[in-house]
Amino acid sequence: MFDFDGLSPVTLAATAGLLIVSYTYSSGITKSKNEYAPGPKGLPFFGTRFSSTPWKDFEQWGKKYGDIMYFKSFGKGILVLNSHSAAVDLLDRRGGNYSDRQIFIVNEYLTRGLSFGLANYGDMWRKMRRAGHECLSRTGVTRYYQVQQKEALIFTENLLRDSSQWDQEVYRTAASGLLTAVYDMPPRESANDPIILKFNDFHEILISAVSPGVIEYLPWLQYLPSIMTPWKTKAQKGYLELSSFFMELFGSVKSQMHGAKENPGFAEFLIRDKDRLGLTETESAWLAANIVAGFGSNMQNTEALLWLFLAMIAYPDKQRKCQEELDAVVGQSRMPTFEDKDSLPYIKATVRELLRWRAISPLGNEHLTKEDDWYQGYFIPKGTMCLANLWLMNRNCDVYGPNIEDFNPDRFIDDQGHLKPALSDTKDGHASYGFGQRICPARHLANDTLFIIIARLLWSAKLSPVVDKQTGKPIIPDLTATIVDGVKSRPLPFDVLVTPRFADAAEMVAQTRELSG
Ligand code: HEM
């Protein structure tokens, strides 16, 4: 594991400098050229402060200030987009100005600009995004159907056998599914598989590299002699170690390639099309690794599944509706496949509702402005950090109907029992994949993963809360409590019982596994 705490030799001097810079900036001495959008006023020096679940503060403020709000926090200008229309106007329609990312100096030393989701809006990001798009577009993702079906089968079989460590199994399947899709590896059998653990480390390293320290406020400190900047040596060493791990995985795909495969995994696609895609081998190896874990991708899937289990035990009537649909459409003599997708609107609505109910990253990721801009008469300076208030957008009663805190897939089903078309501007029927040119490139893959897991798991199993031995009552965990991990959220740990839904369910799952090889 890495950490980048080695800033201590300069901390005192730097903090004093930081306070002066922060005060000058936040007091408005440097700029009063135009009027900023309204927003909460903060404290002198520090600016606006918020809690560890900022989206809940932003929800309250958003209701007060309207479409957009602007404030400063630690000297940084932040524009929060509270409505779909503002997010579409700025992040989609003015995407050329609103697609940059904040550059973190430690991260630059660690990844040399090769971290796709954190890269600035330049040529490297464009090449990676184009390559990613080909394999992750709505039609491109069908190449992963077999892999996803198999992984959902293993997940179901493992949980039917033993659900005492169900959350470990969720971690396993999320990582295993992506490793198989990217590197054509056999499914990983344990969440403690060494490759999974190494990718977890990669994710943790990235999080520490983008946690703002003094260096981000006083960038000249990076040029101090190496004895005073141990973090730099760590980051440079980290780059070499990560590159060698990613190249090793990439190289093993290359050495095992033979003949023209019908559905090559992501890494093999990058190798075959390297000239057309214009990526070097190192860049391709980093891109492949980024798809597995660089943006917390396996974690996003994990967190969505953790919320799913919570929704299923807290709303058993919705779980039953999924199962009734599966029984009516698929029957109990075979397991559902992607071929059933268009006939299972309630399962698709469940995927949508899950991501509406609990946006995994409730404020998305920041989009930095490249140039000064004006919107609704308000000034937005260059370098403003724009955050789309996905949490608030997903809770707009005018769009999603009443009882917005309830988990209710029916809100996406029309009177004929069909899936309603996604409302314009809501992309997938909710805001949780973000906006504009940085919208989640893997949203179709993520939707498919959730769809097939929900379909296969609920076809064969019932998810129930455990029973309190003393009171004899089911234990329903707190639905609103959250663990915050970087910009993501997940529920507090809880127990779930997974039991076969009909007599030969477990047997049928085992048979399907045998037949699928
Ligand atoms: C349910 C699961 C997921 C959710 C809710 C989700 C959500 C998001 C969000 C909100 C963003 C930021 C968008 C913005 O900047 O406006 C994002 C970006 C991204 N996501 Fe996802 N994501 C999910 C799964 C995945 C998966 C499985 C992968 C990889 C296979 C992935 C790869 C990425 C990448 C690489 C970016 C950065 C794109 C860029 O900066 O150009 N995500 N995602």
Side-chain angles (χ1 to χ4, degrees):
M1 265 302 285
F2 290 74
D3 65 57
F4 299 104
D5 297 342
L7 300 167
S8 48
V10 288
T11 303
L12 277 180
T15 307
L18 173 62
L19 289 179
I20 294 163
V21 173
S22 172
Y23 175 68
T24 313
Y25 198 38
S26 65
S27 61
I29 289 171
T30 54
K31 190 180 280 289
S32 60
K33 181 158 121 182
N34 272 294
E35 196 186 337
Y36 297 116
K41 294 282 164 279
L43 298 168
F45 300 121
F46 299 107
T48 301
R49 309 289 308 277
F50 25 84
S51 66
S52 60
T53 49
W55 53 94
K56 295 193 178 161
D57 307 326
F58 289 12
E59 182 179 15
Q60 298 313 317
W61 297 338
K63 285 180 184 160
K64 179 167 170 199
Y65 294 109
D67 269 3
I68 58 172
M69 59 196 188
Y70 182 87
F71 53 83
K72 282 183 177 159
S73 185
F74 289 101
K76 183 89 208 154
I78 300 181
L79 182 78
V80 180
L81 311 172
N82 291 317
S83 69
H84 268 105
S85 56
V88 169
D89 282 347
L90 297 182
L91 306 184
D92 281 5
R93 301 207 173 108
R94 300 187 194 175
N97 190 26
Y98 284 82
S99 298
D100 218 350
R101 294 278 199 231
Q102 166 102 24
I103 293 301
F104 291 92
I105 292 167
V106 177
N107 185 50
E108 286 303 289
Y109 281 92
L110 177 75
T111 66
R112 300 196 188 165
L114 296 178
S115 169
F116 177 22
L118 301 165
N120 71 351
Y121 184 57
D123 286 345
M124 175 56 63
W125 171 80
R126 268 189 206 90
K127 280 195 283 179
M128 288 191 166
R129 183 90 197 184
R130 205 177 313 123
H133 178 75
E134 287 195 33
C135 273
L136 297 170
S137 65
R138 200 182 290 278
T139 47
V141 291
T142 54
R143 71 177 65 211
Y144 308 113
Y145 275 4
Q146 290 306 323
V147 166
Q148 287 172 306
Q149 278 177 186
K150 184 157 183 190
E151 190 53 66
L153 188 58
I154 298 172
F155 182 60
T156 303
E157 194 179 29
N158 288 351
L159 286 178
L160 281 172
R161 195 178 312 119
D162 176 12
S163 59
S164 60
Q165 306 262 305
W166 71 274
D167 49 351
Q168 282 303 302
E169 183 50 25
V170 164
Y171 285 102
R172 186 207 61 77
T173 196
S176 174
L178 284 174
L179 283 167
T180 318
V182 171
Y183 297 112
D184 279 324
M185 284 179 186
R188 305 287 92 189
E189 289 188 1
S190 148
N192 292 321
D193 179 280
I195 296 183
I196 295 184
L197 294 181
K198 277 199 132 179
F199 272 104
N200 289 349
D201 280 355
F202 173 41
H203 174 62
E204 296 294 323
I205 295 166
L206 277 184
I207 293 209
S208 25
V210 296
S211 306
V214 169
I215 195 78
E216 306 300 339
Y217 294 90
L218 301 171
W220 52 267
L221 290 174
Q222 67 187 294
Y223 305 114
L224 292 174
S226 54
I227 187 135
M228 297 172 80
T229 52
W231 61 269
K232 208 159 79 182
T233 316
K234 263 188 208 168
Q236 284 161 334
K237 197 164 155 253
Y239 171 80
L240 296 177
E241 285 175 11
L242 288 170
S243 287
S244 121
F245 171 50
F246 300 156
M247 290 294 277
E248 197 184 309
L249 289 172
F250 202 69
S252 73
V253 174
K254 208 170 171 182
S255 65
Q256 283 165 30
M257 273 169 58
H258 41 75
K261 227 189 245 167
E262 201 188 334
N263 289 315
F266 187 71
E268 185 166 332
F269 157 79
L270 294 177
I271 295 165
R272 287 187 193 281
D273 287 40
K274 76 174 185 336
D275 294 338
R276 189 172 58 80
L277 298 171
L279 290 162
T280 66
E281 190 141 323
T282 309
E283 291 163 357
S284 298
W286 269 80
L287 174 58
N290 273 299
I291 293 300
V292 177
F295 201 73
S297 10
N298 59 355
M299 295 297 172
Q300 305 259 28
N301 275 350
T302 300
E303 272 135 19
L305 289 171
L306 297 176
W307 287 117
L308 171 79
F309 276 67
L310 185 62
M312 290 297 109
I313 62 170
Y315 296 88
D317 55 321
K318 305 302 174 198
Q319 180 182 163
R320 252 190 319 274
K321 279 189 108 167
C322 289
Q323 286 156 340
E324 280 162 15
E325 179 176 80
L326 288 161
D327 288 346
V329 174
V330 180
Q332 293 192 340
S333 58
R334 66 171 180 89
M335 289 190 86
T337 68
F338 278 110
E339 284 181 17
D340 301 306
K341 201 171 164 192
D342 291 339
S343 320
L344 295 170
Y346 202 82
I347 304 291
K348 287 204 227 171
T350 301
V351 173
R352 261 194 206 176
E353 176 64 352
L354 175 67
L355 297 176
R356 181 208 67 81
W357 188 58
R358 294 292 181 262
I360 311 303
S361 306
L363 296 172
N365 200 359
E366 91 286 338
H367 292 225
L368 225 64
T369 52
K370 268 189 168 320
E371 302 296 339
D372 288 353
D373 197 12
W374 284 262
Y375 182 64
Q376 297 182 348
Y378 295 115
F379 178 53
I380 303 165
K382 170 182 174 172
T384 296
M385 180 193 281
C386 297
L387 293 171
N389 198 343
L390 312 182
W391 173 257
L392 179 59
M393 290 176 206
N394 283 342
R395 295 160 72 84
N396 182 344
C397 298
D398 295 338
V399 177
Y400 299 106
N403 305 325
I404 216 68
E405 184 44 42
D406 289 351
F407 177 85
N408 181 14
D410 293 85
R411 64 177 91 245
F412 292 114
I413 297 288
D414 69 15
D415 294 343
Q416 278 76 49
H418 300 137
L419 187 70
K420 288 182 188 167
L423 287 162
S424 67
D425 289 354
T426 64
K427 298 284 187 312
D428 297 78
H430 52 73
S432 302
Y433 287 124
F435 288 89
Q437 299 185 21
R438 311 288 303 228
I439 190 172
C440 179
R443 60 194 190 281
H444 305 299
L445 182 77
N447 285 339
D448 283 348
T449 302
L450 293 172
F451 168 84
I452 199 67
I453 285 185
I454 295 174
R456 293 204 143 183
L457 180 64
L458 296 187
W459 178 86
S460 43
K462 181 177 172 198
L463 311 186
S464 354
V466 293
V467 171
D468 186 318
K469 286 195 182 104
Q470 273 160 10
T471 62
K473 289 193 178 140
I475 305 174
I476 303 293
D478 183 344
L479 299 185
T480 55
T482 298
I483 294 179
V484 181
D485 173 14
V487 294
K488 298 191 284 358
S489 83
R490 62 171 187 271
L492 301 187
F494 58 96
D495 291 324
V496 178
L497 274 180
V498 180
T499 46
R501 203 163 65 80
F502 50 96
D504 48 359
E507 174 66 13
M508 300 253 339
V509 172
Q511 265 178 28
T512 315
R513 172 117 193 241
E514 228 176 275
L515 290 173
S516 73

